[in-house]
């Protein structure tokens, strides 16, 4: 079964890294914050009850997954969300969602063909 995006471009490895990086709630919160706009590590650390060093490590994990980049803007070192990587996740999720919906549609069609009792439910004999 094709559960990844392995087309030879390295997308499957990237997708696995992204899902692993987003498994942590602090990292998900950081990504949510960065969706609003770039921020410094200090700004990203503010809502969390962890050290600045711990937040830096979370950002490193996100950076290794390709979700964020760090850059200098004047005197400030900003963290930037790389939204195209989220597009890989979205494409993977949408593809599997379509497959599941197609399966449910086929099941609905099959169930609609079963004979029904007077109360509208399928009879036990018809299921066997």
């Amino acid at each position: 079964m094709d559960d990844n995006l392995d087309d030879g471009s390295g997308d499957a490895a990237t997708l696995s890294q992204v899902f692993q990086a987003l498994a942590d709630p602090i990292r998900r919160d950081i990504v949510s914050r960065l969706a609003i706009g770039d921020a410094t590590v200090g700004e990203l650390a503010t809502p969390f009850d962890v050290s600045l060093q711990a937040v830096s490590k979370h950002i490193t994990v996100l950076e290794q997954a390709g979700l964020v980049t760090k850059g200098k803007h004047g005197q400030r070192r900003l963290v930037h969300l790389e939204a195209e990587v989220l597009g890989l996740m979205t494409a993977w999720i949408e593809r599997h969602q379509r497959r599941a919906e197609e399966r449910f549609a086929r099941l609905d069609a099959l169930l609609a063909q079963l004979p029904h009792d007077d109360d509208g439910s399928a009879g036990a004999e018809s299921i066997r």
Side-chain angles (χ1 to χ4, degrees):
M1 180 147 92
D2 178 24
D3 282 345
N4 58 39
L5 295 175
D6 197 1
D7 60 3
S9 67
D11 286 346
T14 300
L15 189 64
S16 292
Q17 283 185 301
V18 170
F19 277 115
Q20 283 180 326
L22 293 175
D24 185 278
I26 290 178
R27 292 194 287 266
R28 288 193 305 270
D29 287 346
I30 290 170
V31 168
S32 294
R33 166 54 185 87
L34 290 172
I36 298 167
D38 295 354
T40 65
V41 174
E43 291 167 342
L44 293 170
T46 300
F48 305 109
D49 190 24
V50 296
S51 69
L52 193 60
Q53 182 180 6
V55 172
S56 289
K57 287 182 180 182
H58 283 297
I59 291 169
T60 298
V61 171
L62 293 170
E63 195 172 20
Q64 290 169 343
L67 282 163
V68 302
T69 54
K70 293 180 199 168
K72 202 165 188 176
H73 188 267
Q75 297 286 29
R76 300 173 52 165
R77 289 189 50 88
L78 295 176
V79 182
H80 172 77
L81 178 66
E82 297 296 335
E84 64 274 1
V85 177
L86 296 176
L88 280 176
M89 291 179 62
T90 302
W92 185 88
I93 290 167
E94 287 175 349
R95 184 177 75 214
H96 290 284
Q97 180 180 8
R98 276 192 308 275
R99 287 179 180 171
E101 288 171 352
E102 289 167 2
R103 275 194 357 253
F104 286 129
R106 287 192 305 270
L107 180 59
D108 284 342
L110 180 64
L111 291 174
Q113 295 173 4
L114 292 176
H116 294 279
D117 290 342
D118 291 336
D119 66 359
S121 63
E125 299 80 36
S126 64
I127 294 175
R128 288 187 208 150

